[in-house]
Every structure is written in structure tokens, then in C-alpha cells.
């Protein structure tokens, strides 16, 4: 059985010699990975002195290894999920802050070949040795500059100002000799002084020994057989398509047309994804038979096949099938609010803020080539259940305990943020606001109940079944701890009050809290989802999506009318009214995206340019224009950039005029004033004409922006250009279910057909060099090989390029259990974990090509 979590933990153990007696620095992407793995305790077991954030290096990190026997010579390990060129600024700032670093071991999840193949990369084929020498050179240059600054004033080198962020700490990776000579700070020194300074810098720089290694298994496993890539890693941030006719978003593959991108048109995301999958299979000791569905997946499959042909000759490995799927073949499933507790977790719970900037200054200057995905680290609000319920005295004792815990944990970057907790309390600030950042939990995929990981069990269940299972786990934990409740727990559905009471009982004592922390955190997350604030909105979305699905089976007129109705209703909802479960204009636009995708599947030839007639689409357009004019503050949308402020000013002006036009009945008419203003009538007419002209100009420009939006929506109607694929998909849907509410996603349909060894239109098999030789050369002698099937393998890895969601994971397991091969070891993966909010950002937000 293949276990992704076990493989990741084993890969950490393989670098135990480097971790021992070292300060370990993790970047944001690696932190996401290690948090899901629960690997922080493993790092300490392997001998790490401290675990710190690479992006938030603190001067206090210098004393993190105070108990070390190595003296002033420090040893650090840096694990990064980024390209070395992107991590360079952080690494250099870390070295300059700590100083006296003797050994620096850098582990990057990006392979040496991927570094050299990445566009605009300053590193060549020998990327790792090149970077080792470049880092030492830049570090020596940094020391030389700091020595010159410190020598005249007699200051010590150990001051924090050694590495100003705007100069040395954030410098580009490669600095040419000519560039250095132009800004050489030693040029003003005399010969003897210059030699002295250069000698000191060289002596300090020569102490640094840098080694760079490939560490491929930086991924976020939510279960032993389901993983996604860290959202702040270079692979997930790399764009998957450039702006062209068939592209919908930087974070999604282009729409499949039957012509895969080739040569210079291959986006960086394809190269990095193929490199990752190859090295993942190598670490798992798998030999892949590659299948692809979609143009982008075919490109990745070809790159993978070329690598496998080069490096896998003569190796004995377990055979496995790899199925690559383009996300754009099914955008409807991740846009919908399906029946998945995990999807509700990641949609409702607050996330950690991003810690890293995107790309180097040069890359940002020439345009956005990086995506800004939401971090996967959720913040589970524990303070309601963990804090002591009495007065400020108890609160202060709890704060002292937290500070002591952080001090002993040695995570010095976090310590600096919590040192003034007591001061904040004494100032009279709310304890809840102080503790909210500290007392927040997270999901750990290794937490389990009798060997079954909690998250894995939840992934396979619907929302109601998942909450009932959490209730059962809580009851088992209470029974094991011999804790009795004062209330009667009814069988069946888990109510909010029951879960709340059981959590409080389990969290009363510290021993019980630590022993059952996994189920307590999961139960609190479930409470957060069950709260009316979040569940009402999710249910409103779900109901609207079901209505759209039913109308899509009827006529294009009824579907268009339903979309218009949803937009008209959203125009009445303000920003503060979303708490009541009402849908805003942004929500209605996401539903319009769903409606257009459904229309493209069901009415592909209804209109000339889209699925609706001109009149039907005109009503939808007018609804959107009116909704934006009435409530421009709600719609902070990309296609309205530069126009939102004018719309808000126009709305405020109209409101002011309406107030002024209300006549005051108590006032008497002053005829003198009437005669006195006789000549001002023409002026008022001119002003009103100007006002009407301005309003018309604004509305015309708004209509142009809305027209661009609808051109984008027309693209989404062409997501399945293959007629046979569309007909097969609809036929399979009607075969498995007559219920219009239970539409299955594409992943379920593809796996159901593949596991039954039936043909899937568009599915391509990538044969190796030997396979092609048999097919072309020996086939004429009757020695050709039969086309392999995915179902022939005992291990199948499915990777969705662009992202995957919780509903698809559950449906994939359903397809496996319903097949004739339920014994197959199915592993699921994706670029990221998608929620409907993420899809809105990808399609209609900053990443979309509108």
C-alpha cells in the first residue's frame, strides 16, 4: 500500500544528519507541508535546536542554539518550496542576521533540471553547484560592505543593520562584476585599508560551507492517499497559461482545442509539474504508465515520458498508472457548494495570511508571472474552549503559560510577537483579541482514531455523515477518559449544543486536552461550519445551484430567467447583510458562471455567439448593469477596475439629490426669491444636461465592461468542445442517476469508465521509447504490444492539473468502491485544494483573463 504521509516523513528522516544540532528554517510553503504532516516534533526528535520562519528571520534567532556545544560556529538547514532565485533574498538575509554560520544546507523541492529549464532563471544546467558559489560570493560581498560601514565608526559587525532589506538582503540572485565595480565601496579607501577590509570579509566568508540538495516531497497530504501542493510554493504559484484566445485564468490550463502547446508556448507550470510528478514517483519507487485527458495534460505527459525514457532504463520498480486531467474540462464541480464537510472547512474557516512576496523585483517589474493562492493553513478558533472562564487574573496566568511554552519551544520568530502579551492585557485590551492569534489550531493529517486518520475518514463522507462521525469520536474519547456529561446525548444527527458540551468536557484538564487535541480541533472546526453565519450562506448557494441545474434540463429561456432573477435579488443586498445568508452580487456572478457552463453543456447551439439568444442575454446584461449601479461598493471586481470609484461617487451624488428634492411642506413660498432666481433657470438646465451626459457616459463605459465579461462567459461555454466527450458525459450521468440534484463530477465519470475498461473520448496513452519501437518496428511481425489500461494496475495515481476539491475526492472513492476492482490503491492529487471562493478569484478575480 502506498502511503504519501509515510513517504514524506521518511524523506525527512533521510536528512537527519543535516538536521542534527542545526537551526531549521522553513519557508511558507514548507511550513504548510510540515504542519499537515505534524512533522515539527519529528524535527526535534532528529536533533534540531529550533524551527524558525525563513521569511520572518529575527535577531533573536542568534541565541536559538544557546545550548549547542559548537560554540560560535552555527549550523543551519533551510527547507524551501521555492526556486533558489526566489528564495535567495531570504537566505541571504538569514545568513547576514545570524552571522558566524559555518554550514548552510539548503533543501529545495525544485529539481536541478527544473531550475535550468525555468524561463528567466539565472542558473544553468549545474544549478546547485552554481548557486552554492553565487551564494558564497554574495555573502562575502555583503560582509565586505558591512565591514566598511562599521570600520570608521568602530561599530561591531553584529548589529542588526548589517543587511538593509532594500539593498543587500533583497538583491537579485546574480550580480555581474561590472555592476559590482560601479558601486564598489572600497574604491575610496587607501591600498592598505582596502586590503585589510577585503581580508576580513574573505576570512568570514571562507568559513561558510554551502550545500544545495533536492528535497522533492514538499507537499500537503490531507490523508495517506490524497495530497495537494503547498499554495506558497513555486509549483502552485507558477502560471499554467498565458493570455491568449483559449485561456481563462493564469491558474488554470487553457481550454482544450486538440492542439497541445509545444516548444516556447509551454507555460512554466507544465515544466515544474512534470518534474514534481517524476520525482514523486521516484521517491515512491513507482514506474509510471502515463495517460492524459486534456491538451495541457498531454504536454505534461509528454515531458514526463521523455524524462522516464532517459532515466528509468534498467530500474526495477512497481508499475503504476498515472492519469493527468485538465481542470478546465470540469470547472462546474469546484465552483459549486457541494456536500462535503472538508470543502466547508476550507471555505468557512479563516486562513493564515500570506507571508512571502511574489517573485523577485525584476520579475514583478515585467509582469505578474506568479499566482497569489490562499494559504492552506486554516486557523481553528480554540480560544472559546481553551481559555479559563474566570477573571483577568486567570487570563494573565494563561498568558504566562503561553509565553513559557513558546520560550521552551524555541520558535524565536513567534516569540517576538508574543512578548508584549502581558502589556496588552494591562492596557485593558480584550483578552480575546490578544489570544486569538495564539490559540488557533490547524489540521494535522497524522492525527488518528485507532489508526484511522481523522481527515481521511472525513474526506470519504458527506457533511451530515461527517458530523455524526465526529460526534461518535467525541463520545469514544469521553468514555476513554471516563468523563461523564450532565446532558443526554441523542442518537443520530449531531447538534451544535451536544458537540459544544462534549468539547468543553474534554478540554477541562490539560492531560485530556493534549491527549485528544486532534478530535477537539476537528470538532471545533465542525462547530464553526455548523454555525448559522456560515451554514446559511452555504445552503443558499446550494439551493440556487440546484435550481440552475433543474432549469438547465428544461429550456434556455428558463435558465436565463433564473440567472437574471438571482442577479436582481442580489442588487438589494448590502455588504453587511451577507450574515443573513443572502447572496451578494459577487455571489450571483459566480452563480452566473455556473449557469453559463451548464448552458454550454445543454444548449451549445442556441445562440450565435453563446448559449442564449440575444434577447435572453440582453436581460442578464441589464440586470448586472443595474445591480452594479445600485450597489457599486459590493462588486470589487477585476473587470470594473478604474470604474468603481466613479460609480460610488455617482451613487452618492444621486442620493444627495434625492434628499434635496424632497419638498418641505412647512415652508412658505417666497415670491421675491422666485422672481430673483428668474435668470438662473438656464444655468440649472445646463447643469442638468451635463449631469445626464455624465451619467450616460458612465453607463456606456459600464456596459462596455459588462460586454467584456460576457465574452469571457462565452469562453466558459466551450469548455467541452469534443462533441463525443460531451455526449458521453451526459449519457453516463443519466445512466448512474435520474436525480437532477445529484450530478456527478467529471472525475467520477472518467474513473467509473476507466475502471470498467471502457473507452474515454480524448484519453491518450503516452508510450515509452521501447513501447513506440514495438508499435512501429516490431508490430509488422506480430510482436506489437496491446494498448495498456489504467485498470490493469494495482496502483493508480490521479493528478488534476489546476486543483481538486473535497467532493471530487469522495466521488473518486465512490467510483472505486462501485467498480470491479475495489482493491486498487488509488492516490489522488492536485495543484491546490479548490473552494468556490478560490474559483471566483481564478475566474473573475486578479488571476482571470477577462
Amino acid at each position: 500500500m502506498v502511503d504519501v504521509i509515510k513517504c514524506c516523513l521518511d524523506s525527512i528522516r533521510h536528512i537527519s544528519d543535516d538536521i542534527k544540532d542545526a537551526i531549521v528554517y522553513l519557508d511558507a510553503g514548507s511550513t504548510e507541508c510540515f504542519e499537515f504532516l505534524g512533522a515539527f516534533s519529528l524535527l526535534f526528535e532528529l536533533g534540531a535546536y529550533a524551527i524558525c520562519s525563513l521569511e520572518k528571520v529575527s535577531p533573536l534567532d542568534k541565541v536559538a542554539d544557546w545550548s549547542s556545544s559548537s560554540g560560535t560556529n552555527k549550523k543551519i538547514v533551510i527547507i524551501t518550496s521555492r526556486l533558489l532565485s526566489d528564495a535567495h533574498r531570504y537566505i541571504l538575509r538569514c545568513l547576514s542576521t545570524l552571522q558566524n554560520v559555518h554550514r548552510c544546507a539548503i533543501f529545495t523541492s525544485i529539481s536541478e533540471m527544473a531550475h535550468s529549464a525555468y524561463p528567466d532563471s539565472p542558473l544553468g544546467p549545474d544549478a546547485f553547484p552554481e548557486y552554492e558559489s553565487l551564494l558564497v560570493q554574495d555573502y562575502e560581498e555583503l560582509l565586505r560592505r558591512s565591514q566598511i560601514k562599521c570600520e570608521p565608526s568602530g561599530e561591531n559587525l553584529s548589529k542588526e543593520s548589517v543587511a538593509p532589506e532594500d539593498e543587500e538582503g533583497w538583491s537579485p540572485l546574480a550580480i555581474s562584476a561590472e555592476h559590482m565595480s560601479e558601486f564598489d565601496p572600497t574604491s575610496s579607501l587607501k591600498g592598505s585599508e582596502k586590503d585589510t577590509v577585503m581580508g576580513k570579509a574573505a576570512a568570514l566568508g571562507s568559513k561558510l560551507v554551502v550545500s544545495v540538495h533536492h528535497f522533492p516531497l514538499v507537499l500537503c497530504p490531507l490523508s495517506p492517499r490524497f495530497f495537494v501542493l503547498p499554495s506558497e510554493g513555486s509549483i502552485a504559484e507558477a502560471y499554467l497559461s498565458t493570455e491568449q484566445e483559449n485561456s481563462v485564468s493564469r491558474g488554470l490550463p487553457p481550454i482544450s482545442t486538440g492542439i497541445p502547446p509545444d516548444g516556447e508556448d509551454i507555460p512554466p507550470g507544465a515544466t515544474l509539474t512534470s518534474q514534481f510528478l517524476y520525482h514523486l514517483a521516484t521517491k515512491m519507487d513507482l514506474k509510471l504508465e502515463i495517460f492524459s485527458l486534456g491538451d495541457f495534460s498531454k504536454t505534461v505527459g509528454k515531458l514526463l515520458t521523455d524524462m522516464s525514457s532517459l532515466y528509468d532504463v534498467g530500474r526495477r520498480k512497481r508499475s503504476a498508472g498515472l492519469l493527468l486531467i485538465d481542470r478546465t474540462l470540469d470547472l462546474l464541480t469546484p465552483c459549486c457548494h457541494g456536500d462535503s464537510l472538508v470543502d466547508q472547512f476550507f471555505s468557512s474557516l479563516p486562513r493564515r495570511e500570506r507571508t512571502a512576496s511574489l517573485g523577485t523585483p525584476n520579475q514583478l517589474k515585467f509582469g505578474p508571472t506568479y499566482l497569489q493562492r490562499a494559504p492552506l493553513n486554516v486557523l481553528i478558533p480554540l480560544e472559546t474552549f481553551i481559555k479559563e472562564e474566570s477573571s483577568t487574573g486567570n487570563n494573565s496566568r494563561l498568558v504566562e503559560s503561553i509565553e513559557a511554552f513558546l520560550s521552551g519551544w524555541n520558535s524565536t520568530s513567534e516569540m517576538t510577537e508574543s512578548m508584549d502579551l502581558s502589556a496588552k492585557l494591562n492596557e485593558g485590551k480584550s483578552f480575546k483579541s490578544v489570544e486569538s492569534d495564539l490559540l488557533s489550531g490547524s489540521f494535522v493529517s497524522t492525527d488518528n482514531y485507532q489508526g484511522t486518520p481523522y481527515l481521511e475518514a472525513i474526506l470519504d463522507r458527506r457533511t451530515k455523515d461527517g458530523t455524526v462521525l465526529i460526534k461518535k469520536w467525541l463520545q469514544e474519547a469521553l468514555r476513554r477518559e471516563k468523563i461523564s456529561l450532565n446532558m443526554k446525548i441523542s442518537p443520530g444527527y449531531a447538534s451544535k449544543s451536544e458537540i459544544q458540551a462534549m468539547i468543553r468536557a474534554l478540554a477541562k484538564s490539560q492531560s485530556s486536552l493534549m491527549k485528544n487535541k486532534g478530535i477537539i480541533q476537528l470538532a471545533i472546526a465542525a462547530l464553526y461550519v455548523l454555525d448559522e453565519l456560515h451554514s446559511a450562506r452555504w445552503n443558499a448557494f446550494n439551493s440556487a445551484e440546484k435550481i440552475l441545474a433543474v432549469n438547465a434540463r428544461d429550456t434556455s429561456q428558463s435558465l436565463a430567467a433564473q440567472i437574471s432573477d438571482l442577479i436582481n435579488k442580489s442588487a438589494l443586498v448590502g455588504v453587511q447583510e451577507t450574515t443573513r445568508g443572502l447572496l451578494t452580487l459577487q455571489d450571483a456572478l459566480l452563480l452566473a458562471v455556473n449557469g453559463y457552463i451548464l448552458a454550454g453543456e445543454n444548449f451549445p447551439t442556441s445562440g450565435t455567439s453563446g448559449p442564449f439568444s440575444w434577447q435572453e442575454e440582453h436581460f442578464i446584461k441589464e440586470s448586472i448593469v443595474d445591480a452594479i449601479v445600485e450597489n457599486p461598493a459590493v462588486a470589487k471586481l477585476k473587470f470594473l477596475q478604474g470604474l468603481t470609484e466613479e460609480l460610488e461617487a455617482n451613487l452618492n451624488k444621486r442620493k444627495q439629490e434625492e434628499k434635496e428634492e424632497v419638498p418641505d411642506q412647512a415652508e412658505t413660498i417666497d415670491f421675491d426669491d422666485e422672481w430673483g432666481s428668474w435668470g438662473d433657470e438656464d444655468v440649472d438646465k445646463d447643469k442638468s444636461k451635463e449631469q445626464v451626459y455624465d451619467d450616460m457616459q458612465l453607463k456606456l463605459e459600464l456596459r462596455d465592461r459588462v460586454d467584456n465579461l460576457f465574452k469571457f462567459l462565452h469562453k466558459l461555454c466551450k469548455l467541452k468542445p469534443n462533441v463525443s466527450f460531451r455526449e458521453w458525459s451526459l449519457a453516463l450521468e443519466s445512466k448512474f442517476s435520474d436525480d437532477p440534484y445529484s450530478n456527478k463530477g467529471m472525475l467520477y465519470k472518467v474513473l467509473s469508465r476507466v475502471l470498467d475498461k471502457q473507452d474515454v473520448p480524448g484519453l491518450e496513452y503516452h508510450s515509452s521509447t521501447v513501447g513506440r519501437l514495438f508499435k512501429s518496428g516490431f508490430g509488422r511481425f506480430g510482436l506489437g504490444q496491446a494498448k495498456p489500461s489504467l485498470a490493469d494496475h494495482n496502483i493508480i495515481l490521479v493528478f488534476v492539473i489546476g486543483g481538486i476539491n473535497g467532493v471530487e475526492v469522495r466521488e473518486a472513492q465512490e467510483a472505486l468502491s462501485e467498480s470491479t476492482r475495489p482493491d486498487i490503491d488509488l492516490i489522488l492529487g492536485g495543484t491546490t485544494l479548490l473552494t468556490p471562493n478560490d474559483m471566483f478569484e481564478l475566474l473573475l478575480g486578479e488571476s482571470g483573463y477577462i
Side-chain angles (χ1 to χ4, degrees), residues 691-703:
Q691 180 64 35
V692 169
Y693 177 76
D694 291 341
D695 290 347
M696 287 297 296
Q697 283 287 99
L698 186 61
K699 212 157 190 177
L700 284 172
E701 188 171 353
L702 178 58
R703 283 198 173 94

Side-chain angles (χ1 to χ4, degrees), residues 4 7-8 11 33 37 109 215-219 276 279-280 283:
V4 178
C7 289
C8 292
S11 66
C33 164
L37 284 170
S109 64
F215 187 76
L217 291 185
V218 178
L219 47 87
F276 163 76
H279 290 286
L280 173 67
K283 283 290 183 181

